[in-house]
């Protein structure tokens, strides 16, 4: 019997959809919605785990277990390959990075990205970032690659160097990471479309474009990014941002109006929810089980 590998499914999706659209799913429910919408890969955002699951900023406060809990909840119900934000690896030694990678594979993730910021990291689109030395980053990647218990699990190297040291340094780091075994690269906070093509040409592995809103990167389209040789396009927090705004509107309206009547039309219906989470399948199984027990 062949064993299902999420990593294989992720690599296949990258090959077959070019560039591959990867959407953030803040929780298991959103993962199912993304699957229904036809995405072939989904993403667990570090900023999303922090803000969404913990109500905290993206400053290296959340830990490995916080992320693993969210990975498991998603992979338990959704078989779309999941790319996970591993921040700086959750610990400064090679053993920490190895533990992170092994745990993520066990939790069912398909891929993870590890970045070259210092442990007290920031969102990639905020000022004041600091990065570790090239050697330390290469060591993180080597430790990650070495730790894989599934050789198809994808290790993606993210570099935040562009904003800190400039393009040459970012290109050099990306290439050094690929030479150390990284399967894909994620140059963070890119400001010009043409830069992606420079990364793609330098590293010759798939390059991810992080098209996050309200950041340093313009909202390039899939067609534009395809023209710049991008392999994956990430929308890490788009649905999360929309969801938060919707929740805020509903809370405000009910408090203000003393009723939800004015906002019901903006809600997902009971039936839509049940469809999204396969409620009826569960109910039928339950009925069948009770019928069997009654006999
Ligand atoms: C991709 C990212 O690392 C994330 O955690 O989702 C963030 C996204 C964001 O804050 O918009 C980042 O780009 O640093
Ligand atoms: Mg992040």
């Amino acid at each position: 019997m062949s064993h299902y590998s999420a990593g294989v499914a992720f690599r296949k999706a990258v090959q077959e959809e070019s560039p591959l659209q990867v959407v953030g799913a803040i929780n298991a429910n959103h993962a199912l919605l993304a699957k229904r919408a036809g995405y072939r890969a989904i993403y667990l955002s570090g900023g999303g785990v922090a803000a969404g699951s913990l109500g905290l900023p993206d400053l290296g406060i959340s830990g490995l277990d916080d992320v693993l809990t969210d990975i498991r909840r998603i992979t338990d119900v959704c078989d779309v390959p999941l790319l996970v934000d591993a921040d700086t690896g959750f610990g400064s030694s090679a053993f920490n990075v190895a533990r992170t990678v092994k745990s993520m594979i066990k939790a069912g993730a398909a891929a993870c990205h590890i970045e070259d910021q210092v442990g007290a990291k920031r969102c990639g689109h905020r000022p004041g970032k600091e990065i570790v030395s090239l050697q330390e980053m290469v060591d993180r990647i080597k430790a990650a690659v070495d730790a894989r218990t599934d050789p198809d699990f994808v290790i993606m190297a993210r570099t935040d160097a562009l904003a800190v040291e400039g393009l040459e340094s970012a290109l050099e780091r990306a290439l050094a990471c690929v030479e150390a075994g990284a399967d894909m690269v994620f140059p963070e906070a890119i400001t010009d479309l043409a830069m992606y093509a420079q990364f793609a040409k330098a590293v010759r592995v798939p390059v991810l474009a992080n098209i996050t809103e309200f950041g340093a990167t313009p909202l390039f389209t899939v067609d534009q990014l395809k023209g710049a040789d991008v392999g994956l396009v990430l929308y890490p927090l788009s649905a999360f941002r929309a969801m938060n705004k919707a929740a805020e509107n509903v809370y405000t309206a009910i408090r203000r109006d003393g009723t939800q009547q004015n906002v019901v039309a903006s809600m997902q219906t009971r039936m839509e929810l049940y469809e999204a989470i396969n409620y009826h399948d569960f109910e039928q199984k339950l009925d069948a089980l009770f019928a069997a027990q009654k006999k």
Side-chain angles (χ1 to χ4, degrees), residues 176-210:
C177 289
V178 171
E179 281 165 359
D183 302 295
M184 302 182 189
V185 302
F186 171 172
E188 173 65 313
I190 293 295
T191 49
D192 298 302
L193 189 59
M195 287 178 182
Y196 291 116
Q198 287 180 270
F199 277 94
K201 195 166 168 227
V203 298
R204 305 204 168 275
V205 297
V207 171
L208 178 141
N210 177 16

Side-chain angles (χ1 to χ4, degrees), residues 5 13 22-23 36 52 60 86 88 127 139 143-145 171 175 196 219 233 235 273:
S5 161
V22 187
V23 280
R36 272 177 183 261
T88 61
D139 288 345
V145 167
L171 286 165
L175 187 57
Y196 291 116
L219 302 184
V233 186
Y235 309 88
L273 171 63

Side-chain angles (χ1 to χ4, degrees), residues 43 46-47 58 85 87 113 115 121 158:
Y43 179 67
D58 188 11
D85 185 347
D87 284 343
H113 65 73
E115 70 201 37
K121 60 148 293 169
R158 161 170 153 177

Side-chain angles (χ1 to χ4, degrees), residues 104-264:
M104 287 192 177
I105 293 172
K106 227 170 162 184
C112 76
H113 65 73
I114 298 177
E115 70 201 37
D116 57 0
Q117 287 200 59
V118 295
K121 60 148 293 169
R122 294 170 189 240
C123 157
H125 295 256
R126 297 287 304 158
K129 292 193 290 184
E130 277 177 65
I131 53 178
V132 297
S133 70
L134 186 148
Q135 192 52 52
E136 192 171 339
M137 177 55 179
V138 164
D139 288 345
R140 280 181 192 169
I141 296 301
K142 279 190 186 153
V145 167
D146 231 53
R148 280 190 287 208
T149 44
D150 172 359
D152 291 306
F153 182 78
V154 171
I155 304 292
M156 184 184 285
R158 161 170 153 177
T159 178
D160 284 66
L162 178 68
V164 186
E165 295 181 350
L167 183 60
E168 285 313 311
S169 163
L171 286 165
E172 188 194 1
R173 278 168 180 255
L175 187 57
C177 289
V178 171
E179 281 165 359
D183 302 295
M184 302 182 189
V185 302
F186 171 172
E188 173 65 313
I190 293 295
T191 49
D192 298 302
L193 189 59
M195 287 178 182
Y196 291 116
Q198 287 180 270
F199 277 94
K201 195 166 168 227
V203 298
R204 305 204 168 275
V205 297
V207 171
L208 178 141
N210 177 16
I211 308 300
T212 189
E213 301 82 11
F214 316 110
T217 308
L219 302 184
F220 299 122
T221 67
V222 163
D223 285 344
Q224 287 175 309
L225 293 164
K226 191 181 179 71
D229 300 328
V230 162
L232 306 91
V233 186
L234 179 65
Y235 309 88
L237 292 163
S238 310
F240 176 64
R241 297 188 210 285
M243 164 203 192
N244 289 347
K245 199 71 178 178
E248 207 182 342
N249 287 340
V250 168
Y251 290 136
T252 309
I254 296 177
R255 191 76 173 152
R256 182 191 56 219
D257 304 337
T259 172
Q260 68 274 66
Q261 285 166 12
N262 295 325
V263 285
V264 171

Side-chain angles (χ1 to χ4, degrees), residues 54-69:
L54 307 175
L56 288 170
D58 188 11
L59 293 169
I61 307 169
S62 39
L64 176 59
D65 279 339
D66 297 312
V67 179
L68 290 175
T69 299

